[in-house]
Amino acid sequence: MSIANSLMTDLKNAMKAHDKVKLTVVRMLKASLMNEKIKLGHDLSDEEEITVVSREAKQHKESIDEFKEAGRDDLVEQQEAELSILKDYLPKQLSEDEINQVVSEAIEQVGASNMSDFGKVMGAVMPKVKGKADGNLVNQAVKSQLK
């Protein structure tokens, strides 16, 4: 089932349950998916839907960090609640060991030997882990293995 289809079901369920947080997140996601569909001019593939959800999750993580710095605990709680709902729509995230394995394979594949090959390795890794791993974690794994 595509994300767009599950959002319709979740929207109805959130309305019936009077779950305002989930309702807000589902509506926001539906709007983001629709905007992306209009921007691209075609129905979104599953991969494109995951990209949109990943983008929203990343924005929520960044907002959480900024609100923590500003001492806005009320907004931090709200963003964390919304982020936990967003994570339900993302594929299972890779563990640190799995990320390191993918990075090792990519280093062998491109023949990387030092930090000057960083871009080549990232270019090989990111399509494999798209939506399944945080880019910052991948970045750290590549840096640690290329030292």
Side-chain angles (χ1 to χ4, degrees), residues 13 28 84 142:
N13 292 338
M28 180 237 351
S84 70
V142 171

Side-chain angles (χ1 to χ4, degrees), residues 125-138:
V125 171
M126 288 312 288
K128 295 178 184 176
V129 299
K130 188 171 191 146
K132 298 179 194 169
D134 181 19
N136 291 332
L137 294 175
V138 175

Side-chain angles (χ1 to χ4, degrees), residues 46-64:
D46 289 343
E47 188 174 300
E48 290 168 331
E49 288 179 341
I50 289 171
T51 301
V52 172
V53 177
S54 296
R55 185 181 322 133
E56 292 295 333
K58 181 179 179 184
Q59 287 175 351
H60 274 68
K61 288 175 187 174
E62 291 170 354
S63 295
I64 289 169

Side-chain angles (χ1 to χ4, degrees), residues 38-112:
I38 292 168
K39 180 177 145 190
L40 296 177
H42 61 79
D43 287 340
L44 300 179
S45 67
D46 289 343
E47 188 174 300
E48 290 168 331
E49 288 179 341
I50 289 171
T51 301
V52 172
V53 177
S54 296
R55 185 181 322 133
E56 292 295 333
K58 181 179 179 184
Q59 287 175 351
H60 274 68
K61 288 175 187 174
E62 291 170 354
S63 295
I64 289 169
D65 292 340
E66 290 175 15
F67 290 144
K68 281 182 180 177
E69 285 180 28
R72 296 292 311 265
D73 294 334
D74 55 329
L75 295 175
V76 169
E77 288 178 26
Q78 177 186 348
Q79 291 291 311
E80 286 175 342
E82 291 179 6
L83 180 60
S84 70
I85 294 169
L86 282 171
K87 286 181 179 179
D88 293 341
Y89 296 102
L90 290 171
K92 179 184 172 290
Q93 297 293 295
L94 296 174
S95 70
E96 200 170 321
D97 292 337
E98 291 169 321
I99 293 171
N100 286 327
Q101 178 65 34
V102 172
V103 169
S104 297
E105 291 170 5
I107 288 173
E108 284 182 33
Q109 178 186 351
V110 299

Side-chain angles (χ1 to χ4, degrees), residues 103 106 117-127 135-136 138-140 142-143 146:
V103 169
D117 298 321
F118 178 81
K120 290 179 190 174
V121 176
M122 286 297 287
V125 171
M126 288 312 288
N136 291 332
V138 175
N139 187 322
Q140 291 170 355
V142 171
K143 285 180 180 177
L146 285 180

